[in-house]
Coordinates of all heavy atoms in Angstrom, one line a residue:
E269 N 2.6 33.6 9.5 CA 1.5 32.7 9.0 C 1.9 31.2 8.9 O 1.0 30.4 8.5 CB 0.9 33.2 7.7 CG 0.1 34.4 7.9 CD -0.5 35.0 6.7 OE1 -0.1 34.7 5.6 OE2 -1.6 35.7 6.9
R270 N 3.2 30.9 9.1 CA 3.5 29.5 9.1 C 2.9 28.9 10.3 O 2.7 27.6 10.3 CB 5.0 29.4 9.2 CG 5.9 29.8 8.0 CD 7.3 29.7 8.2 NE 7.8 30.6 9.2 CZ 9.0 30.7 9.7 NH1 9.9 29.8 9.3 NH2 9.4 31.5 10.7
R271 N 2.5 29.7 11.3 CA 1.8 29.2 12.5 C 0.3 29.2 12.4 O -0.3 28.8 13.3 CB 2.2 30.0 13.7 CG 3.7 30.0 13.9 CD 4.3 30.6 15.1 NE 3.5 31.7 15.8 CZ 4.0 32.3 16.9 NH1 5.2 32.1 17.4 NH2 3.2 33.2 17.4
N272 N -0.2 29.7 11.3 CA -1.6 29.7 11.0 C -2.0 28.3 10.4 O -1.6 28.1 9.2 CB -2.0 30.8 10.1 CG -3.4 30.9 9.8 OD1 -4.1 29.9 9.5 ND2 -4.0 32.1 9.8
P273 N -2.7 27.4 11.1 CA -3.0 26.1 10.4 C -3.7 26.1 9.1 O -3.3 25.3 8.3 CB -3.9 25.5 11.5 CG -3.6 26.1 12.8 CD -3.2 27.5 12.4
E274 N -4.6 27.1 8.9 CA -5.3 27.0 7.7 C -4.3 27.5 6.5 O -4.3 26.9 5.4 CB -6.5 28.0 7.7 CG -7.6 27.5 8.7 CD -8.7 28.6 8.9 OE1 -8.4 29.7 9.3 OE2 -9.8 28.3 8.5
K275 N -3.7 28.7 6.7 CA -3.0 29.3 5.6 C -1.6 28.3 5.4 O -1.2 28.3 4.2 CB -2.6 30.7 5.9 CG -3.8 31.6 5.9 CD -3.4 33.1 6.1 CE -4.7 34.0 5.9 NZ -4.4 35.4 6.0
A276 N -1.1 27.9 6.4 CA 0.1 27.1 6.3 C -0.3 25.7 5.5 O 0.6 25.3 4.6 CB 0.7 26.7 7.5
T277 N -1.4 25.3 5.8 CA -1.8 24.0 5.1 C -2.1 24.2 3.7 O -1.8 23.4 2.8 CB -3.1 23.4 5.8 OG1 -2.6 23.0 7.2 CG2 -3.5 22.1 5.1
E278 N -2.7 25.4 3.4 CA -2.9 25.8 1.9 C -1.6 26.0 1.2 O -1.5 25.4 0.1 CB -3.7 27.0 1.9 CG -4.1 27.6 0.4 CD -4.9 28.8 0.4 OE1 -5.5 29.1 1.5 OE2 -5.1 29.3 -0.6
A279 N -0.6 26.5 1.9 CA 0.7 26.7 1.3 C 1.3 25.3 1.1 O 2.0 25.1 0.0 CB 1.6 27.5 2.2
F280 N 1.2 24.4 2.0 CA 1.7 23.1 1.9 C 1.0 22.3 0.7 O 1.8 21.7 -0.1 CB 1.4 22.2 3.2 CG 1.7 20.7 3.0 CD1 3.0 20.3 3.0 CD2 0.6 19.9 2.9 CE1 3.2 18.8 2.8 CE2 0.8 18.6 2.7 CZ 2.1 18.0 2.7
V281 N -0.2 22.4 0.5 CA -1.0 21.8 -0.6 C -0.4 22.3 -2.0 O 0.0 21.4 -2.8 CB -2.5 22.2 -0.6 CG1 -3.1 21.9 -1.9 CG2 -3.1 21.3 0.6
H282 N -0.1 23.6 -2.0 CA 0.5 24.1 -3.3 C 1.9 23.7 -3.5 O 2.3 23.2 -4.5 CB 0.4 25.6 -3.3 CG -0.9 26.2 -3.5 ND1 -1.5 26.2 -4.8 CD2 -1.8 26.6 -2.6 CE1 -2.8 26.8 -4.7 NE2 -2.9 27.0 -3.3
Y283 N 2.6 23.6 -2.3 CA 4.1 23.2 -2.5 C 4.2 21.7 -2.8 O 4.9 21.3 -3.8 CB 4.7 23.5 -1.1 CG 6.2 23.1 -1.1 CD1 7.1 23.2 -2.1 CD2 6.8 22.7 0.2 CE1 8.4 22.9 -2.0 CE2 8.1 22.4 0.2 CZ 8.9 22.4 -0.9 OH 10.3 22.1 -0.8
I284 N 3.4 20.9 -2.1 CA 3.5 19.4 -2.3 C 3.0 19.1 -3.8 O 3.6 18.2 -4.4 CB 2.8 18.7 -1.3 CG1 3.5 17.2 -1.2 CG2 1.4 18.5 -1.5 CD1 4.8 17.1 -0.5
A285 N 2.0 19.8 -4.2 CA 1.5 19.7 -5.5 C 2.6 20.0 -6.6 O 2.7 19.3 -7.7 CB 0.3 20.4 -5.8
D286 N 3.4 21.0 -6.4 CA 4.4 21.4 -7.3 C 5.5 20.5 -7.3 O 6.0 20.1 -8.4 CB 5.0 22.8 -6.9 CG 4.1 24.0 -7.2 OD1 3.1 23.7 -7.9 OD2 4.4 25.1 -6.7
L287 N 5.8 19.9 -6.2 CA 6.8 18.7 -6.1 C 6.3 17.5 -6.8 O 7.1 16.9 -7.6 CB 7.2 18.5 -4.7 CG 7.9 19.5 -3.9 CD1 8.1 19.2 -2.4 CD2 9.3 19.8 -4.5
K288 N 5.1 17.2 -6.6 CA 4.5 16.1 -7.3 C 4.5 16.2 -8.8 O 4.8 15.3 -9.5 CB 3.1 15.9 -6.7 CG 2.4 14.6 -7.5 CD 3.1 13.3 -7.1 CE 2.1 12.0 -7.4 NZ 1.6 11.9 -8.8
E289 N 4.2 17.4 -9.3 CA 4.2 17.6 -10.7 C 5.6 17.5 -11.3 O 5.8 17.0 -12.4 CB 3.6 19.0 -11.0 CG 3.5 19.3 -12.5 CD 2.8 20.7 -12.8 OE1 2.4 21.3 -11.8 OE2 2.7 21.0 -13.9
R290 N 6.6 17.9 -10.5 CA 8.0 17.9 -11.0 C 8.6 16.4 -10.9 O 9.1 15.9 -11.9 CB 8.8 18.7 -10.2 CG 10.3 18.7 -10.5 CD 10.7 19.0 -11.9 NE 12.0 18.8 -12.3 CZ 12.6 17.6 -12.7 NH1 11.8 16.5 -12.7 NH2 13.8 17.6 -12.9

Side-chain angles (χ1 to χ4, degrees):
E269 288 184 336
R270 294 176 296 174
R271 305 192 328 189
N272 180 314
E274 294 174 298
K275 293 188 176 182
T277 298
E278 183 177 346
F280 167 78
V281 164
H282 287 277
Y283 180 33
I284 204 75
D286 285 349
L287 292 175
K288 178 63 164 57
E289 183 175 357
R290 172 61 184 85

